[in-house]
Amino acid sequence: MKEKIKGLLIKYKEFVLYALFGVLTTIANAGAFLLMSEILGEEYAAVNNTVAWFVGVAVAFVTNKIWVFESKSKKVLTVVKEALEFTLARLLSYVFETVGLVVAIDLFSCDTKWGQLGIKLVLSIVVVIMNYVSSKLIIFRKKNKKKEDK
């Protein structure tokens, strides 16, 4: 049984790491959202989400580049390109999440930070899937990285 689990972990290492670091990113994002809600108030959900987004993107880029997709590129231009692509992809998911958050808060007449956080966490599941696909298929494609760093 242990061997079977070990084999599955090795086979799905990238996805397992993505999920684990996704949890870390979500915790950092949600923590920043709650902190900003305390500082600015619940009525500034979009602003609070923007600050949380910047924190999440920073955590996600570092963990995805180094541990998940194991991008070995150290050339400044390559790292900048990865960072820009990563940020642009995350910007699309940010717009999706923010619009979804505002619409859902209005739709459900949710005016508490805990209710808003619940809505945000549901939207985060969709965002995680969107972000994995963009990172895997576009930003950290392995076939292009070998050519770029030679």
Side-chain angles (χ1 to χ4, degrees):
M1 180 68 163
K2 286 183 183 181
E3 288 301 315
K4 187 173 184 172
I5 293 171
K6 185 178 178 181
L8 286 172
L9 286 175
I10 291 169
K11 183 176 180 179
Y12 297 107
K13 174 187 171 192
E14 183 180 274
F15 185 76
V16 170
L17 287 173
Y18 186 83
L20 288 174
F21 286 117
V23 170
L24 175 66
T25 298
T26 301
I27 290 168
N29 185 299
F33 182 79
L34 286 174
L35 178 63
M36 292 307 299
S37 292
E38 284 294 318
I39 294 169
L40 297 179
E42 291 86 11
E43 62 273 15
Y44 293 99
V47 174
N48 299 340
N49 193 54
T50 301
V51 173
W53 179 81
F54 278 105
V55 170
V57 168
V59 170
F61 178 72
V62 171
T63 58
N64 278 234
K65 177 173 177 47
I66 296 171
W67 293 292
V68 177
F69 298 105
E70 299 177 348
S71 174
K72 305 293 185 205
S73 57
K74 297 199 190 242
K75 287 184 177 181
V76 174
L77 248 43
T78 303
V79 174
V80 167
K81 181 179 181 269
E82 288 174 340
L84 285 173
E85 288 175 346
F86 192 88
T87 303
L88 286 173
R90 293 315 190 265
L91 186 58
L92 289 174
S93 61
Y94 159 78
V95 169
F96 169 82
E97 182 179 33
T98 301
V99 169
L101 183 66
V102 171
V103 168
I105 286 170
D106 188 49
L107 184 68
F108 297 115
S109 300
C110 185
D111 59 355
T112 68
K113 68 181 170 194
W114 295 107
Q116 291 176 2
L117 181 62
I119 292 167
K120 180 174 173 44
L121 291 176
V122 169
L123 288 167
S124 291
I125 293 168
V126 177
V127 166
V128 164
I129 294 166
M130 291 169 58
N131 291 340
Y132 179 78
V133 170
S134 66
S135 291
K136 173 105 175 132
L137 299 179
I138 299 167
I139 302 159
F140 298 113
R141 282 189 314 248
K142 296 199 190 263
K143 64 179 184 176
N144 290 339
K145 297 302 163 204
K146 290 177 184 173
K147 290 179 187 174
E148 287 177 11
D149 286 334
K150 283 188 177 179

